[in-house]
């Protein structure tokens, strides 16, 4: 049985009720709960959490699935705080032991001290920006993908812990052009391709 840990990083703040990422996180749980080959645990960063218990979830899981909106080209502050608090709790306690270097040769092996080797992660992100802002010449992101641009540091953070990536999925234009039904269908197809095929 494969163990799935789902993190809803969608935040209720300002004009955002966090509904889109909550819906995607719920669809993720439903997908896996309805398949007997998976066991599911989850966290919503809007709820109170015990950092030590969150570390246990990372250590327990075979796959961590993160769901996050992008606010001002970064993770929302509650999700970033969750990572800072939980990963600090996980120092030498299941998430990472060190930065991987030794005092004998501190110039090499940075980022190799993770303790989550053998596990994988997947991330979805939601954007006000349309897909074309990343793909068309002359548009805002200079033809740089979400994964190679705004989420580059997020992916390196996971690599630092030893996690390996599964294919990401990004939802675009969710403020002005959202079509929740087609987004959910696309996402369920993505989950099927990544986890069942």
């Amino acid at each position: 049985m494969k163990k799935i840990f789902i993190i809803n990083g969608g935040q209720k703040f300002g004009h955002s009720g966090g509904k889109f990422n909550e819906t995607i996180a719920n669809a993720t749980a439903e997908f896996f709960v309805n398949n007997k080959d998976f066991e599911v645990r989850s966290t919503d960063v809007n709820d109170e959490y015990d950092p030590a218990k969150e570390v246990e979830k990372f250590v327990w899981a075979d796959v961590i699935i993160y769901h996050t909106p992008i606010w001002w080209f970064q993770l929302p502050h509650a999700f970033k705080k969750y990572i800072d608090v939980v990963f600090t709790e996980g120092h030498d306690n299941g998430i990472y032991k060190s930065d991987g270097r030794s005092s004998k040769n501190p110039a090499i092996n940075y980022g190799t001290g993770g303790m989550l080797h053998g596990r994988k992660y997947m991330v979805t992100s939601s954007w006000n920006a349309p897909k074309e802002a990343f793909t068309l010449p002359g548009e805002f992101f200079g033809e740089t993908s979400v994964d190679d641009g705004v989420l580059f540091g997020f992916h390196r953070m996971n690599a630092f812990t030893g996690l390996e990536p599964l294919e990401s999925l990004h939802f675009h234009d969710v403020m002005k052009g959202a079509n929740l039904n087609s987004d959910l269908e696309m996402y369920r197809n993505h989950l099927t391709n990544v986890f069942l095929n």
Side-chain angles (χ1 to χ4, degrees), residues 22 38 45 50 54 64 85 96 106 114 181:
E22 181 180 9
F38 297 93
V45 300
D50 176 340
E54 296 305 300
I64 294 96
V85 169
Y96 74 102
N181 289 334

Side-chain angles (χ1 to χ4, degrees), residues 12 20 22-23 26 44 49-50 66 70 78 112 117 124 133 141 173 175 189 196:
K12 298 170 184 171
F20 185 87
E22 181 180 9
T23 300
N26 289 340
D44 184 324
Y49 52 85
D50 176 340
Y66 302 99
I70 301 297
T112 60
H117 293 279
T124 73
F141 291 99
D173 204 12
M175 299 289 287
N189 288 337
L196 300 183

Side-chain angles (χ1 to χ4, degrees), residues 4 28 31 34 37 41 70 114 139 145 148 167 169 191:
I4 308 292
T28 308
F31 178 87
N34 288 332
D37 295 328
R41 295 183 186 173
I70 301 297
E139 287 299 315
S145 72
D148 291 337
E167 186 180 351
L169 184 68
L191 290 174

